Amino acid sequence: MPLHLIKRDKDESVFDLYAQYAATHSIPKYKMGDEPNDPHLVKDLILDELLLDGNAKQNLATFCQTDVDEEIHQLMDKCLDKNMIDKDEYPQTAEIENRCVHILADLWHSPESQTTIGCSTTGSSEAAMLGGLALKWRWRQRREKEGKPTGKPNIITGPVQICWHKFARYFDVELREIPMEHDRLLMTPEEVIKRIDENTIGVVPTFGVTFTLEYEDVKAVSDALDKYEKETGLDIPIHVDAASGGFIAPFLQPDIEWDFRLPRVKSINASGHKYGLSPLGVGWVVWREVSDLPEDLIFRVNYLGGDMPTFALNFSRPGGQIIAQYYNLVRNSKEGYRRIQQACLDHGIYIAQEVEKLGLFELLYDGKSALPGAAWMLKKGVEPGFTLYDLSDKMRAHGWQIASYSLPANCQDMVIQRVLIRHGFSHDMAKLFISDLKRCIEYFKENPVHKGMAETEAGGYHH
Ligand SMILES: *Cc1c(COP(=O)(O)O)cnc(C)c1O
């Protein structure tokens, strides 16, 4: 056939990507197209579109890991076919998950770290559901044995992450959340004790509070519960939500007793994809001892002739994140984690100090004692010509994403700005951040948008 008669319009791939039909028109958005497209082109068009997302390195609003080793990219690629639930097909992936559980149990001082039980999850949210369910089951079993009613379980928390609101609603447990007060932003033993009754399934301190980055005092709460048990006979267990702190305190604040060193702490959750340094999609929940996870909640799978207990809300789930978690634990070891987290903590302290020097802000968290980061508010009475929301918006124009939000009940009138520092951040980036912040404040000096708003700011919580 003469060359010019060959129908070329189907063979778009000889053209430059951006000269092809799909790039000069629109790719399907809400309905599937009829004909396939060049894979290379489609990938590039999607990547172009994704450039409109925020730049993860400058995202100081999230707790989640956004910067991973090249080796993790390679491992994730090789693990694309691994399904966590198929413990028969991928027994070695299951073995690696198991190693992570025991490493974490040891890191968190379980007295039975080699034999205790735990599992990976999609994140701390799923881990919290599992931890909460175990508390509910144990409480119900005890109540049934005593012949008492089991209709009205409650759980006591400080100002918590939304996953505990979900747990309470989805699993029919009354949430007794201790509200913040202006002079007390965290859970205290007195506030916990006030809320306990015989239907309390457990107390959940947060070790690294979402709003302020500080640790709730697990030891003080545990001591108060010991005393309470002596007086009343009621034995109330603790689950620690250590989504972030579980991978910070063991390296930076090893003397804080928040974990299984306290016998009352029966389970702990943490996010592998936060300060665990693994890519998005992995969390952990670990029980102090096997007996702390009620047998009824465990499903058993046979693999390799063995007996593999599983406890999860999901079925199929990617295995790569778990492999990446093991890589991180082995590659960094304790000293590697310590250096990484200490660097983050130092950058947070630096930012806090520089922000304080500006004279307009009052530090709510100086970055020193808990998670890497800082939080501040506008000083009472200052009239800088902007609200913290305006400042966040203006910083966005320089690429920075910083969260500004009002605190939850009873401090909704307090608006704060928070930065989190994660792996992948350097001292020079902290300096660039501060110089951009100064530039934005200067801009508002010349072009004020609000007057005297420091105390009357309003608005919702942005994560
Ligand atoms: C992030 C966070 C969660 C939720 O964790 P995911 O891993 O995002 O599901 C729960 N609790 C606390 C304290 C958190 O910081």
Side-chain angles (χ1 to χ4, degrees):
M1 193 189 295
L3 206 52
H4 70 276
L5 289 182
I6 296 177
K7 217 162 159 274
R8 288 300 298 269
D9 61 347
K10 285 277 181 215
D11 188 10
E12 286 271 300
S13 63
V14 296
F15 293 104
D16 177 88
L17 290 179
Y18 291 94
Q20 291 179 37
Y21 186 86
T24 54
H25 293 71
S26 263
I27 57 171
K29 303 275 187 315
Y30 306 109
K31 284 182 182 183
M32 281 177 84
D34 294 322
E35 299 292 329
N37 289 293
D38 182 300
H40 208 62
L41 173 62
V42 173
K43 180 204 69 186
D44 282 347
L45 291 176
I46 292 175
L47 286 178
D48 284 352
E49 182 166 349
L50 289 176
L51 286 176
L52 301 188
D53 274 345
N55 162 14
K57 267 222 186 229
Q58 286 181 286
N59 180 356
L60 306 188
T62 185
F63 291 76
C64 291
Q65 194 50 57
T66 49
D67 196 291
V68 300
D69 290 1
E70 188 49 41
E71 286 74 14
I72 290 183
H73 286 273
Q74 293 167 13
L75 284 169
M76 291 291 284
D77 188 38
K78 297 280 186 218
C79 293
L80 272 184
D81 54 356
K82 298 198 188 294
N83 187 347
M84 255 340 284
I85 200 71
D86 289 339
K87 305 201 189 254
D88 267 327
E89 286 88 336
Y90 307 109
Q92 223 47 42
T93 299
E95 159 64 18
I96 285 178
E97 177 192 30
N98 210 25
R99 287 181 203 165
C100 292
V101 166
H102 295 302
I103 290 175
L104 293 178
D106 178 61
L107 194 65
W108 299 334
H109 302 96
S110 159
E112 296 187 4
S113 67
Q114 293 312 300
T115 49
T116 194
I117 198 164
C119 59
S120 67
T121 58
T122 49
S124 275
S125 300
E126 187 191 3
M129 305 295 148
L130 301 182
L133 280 171
L135 292 178
K136 185 176 174 185
W137 250 247
R138 267 176 49 125
W139 166 82
R140 194 164 54 198
Q141 284 171 347
R142 202 186 65 223
R143 298 281 291 174
E144 279 169 356
K145 237 194 243 158
E146 297 167 355
K148 293 186 177 154
T150 57
K152 288 194 162 165
N154 68 70
I155 192 165
I156 300 173
T157 71
V160 269
Q161 212 266 355
I162 186 138
C163 68
W164 293 99
H165 292 247
K166 289 186 185 171
F167 166 74
R169 197 175 304 169
Y170 297 167
F171 296 105
D172 246 334
V173 175
E174 181 201 342
L175 180 64
R176 297 190 175 167
E177 185 176 14
I178 302 165
M180 289 182 174
E181 300 299 342
H182 288 83
D183 55 351
R184 179 190 55 68
L185 299 180
L186 303 171
M187 161 190 282
T188 58
E190 301 75 46
E191 294 297 324
V192 169
I193 300 294
K194 267 192 222 166
R195 288 169 176 78
I196 297 179
D197 60 29
E198 58 179 10
N199 290 317
T200 300
I201 66 170
V203 175
V204 180
T206 302
F207 201 61
V209 174
T210 314
F211 310 102
T212 56
L213 309 185
E214 293 180 300
Y215 296 147
E216 289 190 318
D217 191 341
V218 187
K219 174 136 184 6
V221 170
S222 177
D223 289 349
L225 290 174
D226 287 350
K227 185 160 168 272
Y228 183 82
E229 184 180 356
K230 278 209 189 92
E231 291 162 7
T232 64
L234 269 186
D235 176 9
I236 309 286
I238 293 177
H239 170 97
V240 182
D241 180 352
S244 300
F247 283 101
I248 294 289
F251 310 111
L252 299 188
Q253 301 105 1
D255 296 333
I256 301 180
E257 286 178 52
W258 63 275
D259 55 11
F260 297 125
R261 277 169 285 186
L262 305 169
R264 196 168 287 282
V265 172
K266 302 299 181 194
S267 46
I268 294 173
N269 71 269
S271 296
H273 57 212
K274 289 184 178 174
Y275 290 98
L277 306 179
S278 297
L280 275 170
V282 61
W284 299 96
V285 56
V286 176
W287 282 269
R288 170 184 191 79
E289 296 168 19
V290 178
S291 56
D292 291 312
L293 176 58
E295 186 68 21
D296 285 1
L297 288 169
I298 304 172
F299 292 80
R300 300 207 169 264
V301 196
N302 299 322
Y303 83 110
L304 277 190
D307 177 33
M308 186 69 189
T310 87
F311 181 28
L313 298 181
N314 299 289
F315 193 66
S316 296
R317 194 151 59 76
Q321 290 86 340
I322 288 119
I323 306 297
Q325 182 73 75
Y326 184 58
Y327 164 86
N328 275 318
L329 294 170
V330 173
R331 181 255 183 279
N332 291 304
S333 294
K334 290 182 183 167
E335 180 59 9
Y337 268 96
R338 195 193 62 74
R339 288 272 287 257
I340 290 171
Q341 317 296 37
Q342 184 66 50
C344 292
L345 198 80
D346 291 344
H347 303 323
I349 294 169
Y350 170 80
I351 286 179
Q353 286 169 345
E354 292 299 311
V355 163
E356 192 171 32
K357 279 187 208 159
L358 298 172
L360 296 172
F361 306 99
E362 180 189 334
L363 291 182
L364 207 70
Y365 172 54
D366 62 8
K368 288 181 182 160
S369 53
L371 302 184
W376 55 83
M377 308 168 53
L378 278 172
K379 267 190 189 158
K380 283 232 160 65
V382 297
E383 287 190 24
F386 60 84
T387 65
L388 291 178
Y389 299 112
D390 297 326
L391 188 56
S392 279
D393 270 355
K394 193 73 192 158
M395 284 295 277
R396 185 72 192 243
H398 295 272
W400 299 103
Q401 299 177 64
I402 37 176
S404 293
Y405 48 88
S406 57
L407 292 179
N410 295 326
C411 293
Q412 294 99 327
D413 59 326
M414 288 169 72
V415 176
I416 80 168
Q417 196 159 63
R418 180 197 72 191
V419 297
L420 275 152
I421 306 299
R422 306 184 311 280
H423 176 223
F425 202 74
S426 65
H427 184 63
D428 280 341
M429 284 182 75
K431 280 182 151 168
L432 291 169
F433 172 84
I434 291 295
S435 65
D436 279 341
L437 195 69
K438 287 180 180 163
R439 200 170 301 156
C440 291
I441 291 170
E442 276 309 306
Y443 171 87
F444 285 122
K445 219 183 249 172
E446 308 286 315
N447 310 276
V449 283
H450 287 89
K451 283 217 169 78
M453 288 292 288
E455 286 161 50
T456 53
E457 289 176 293
Y461 169 70
H462 315 268
H463 179 71

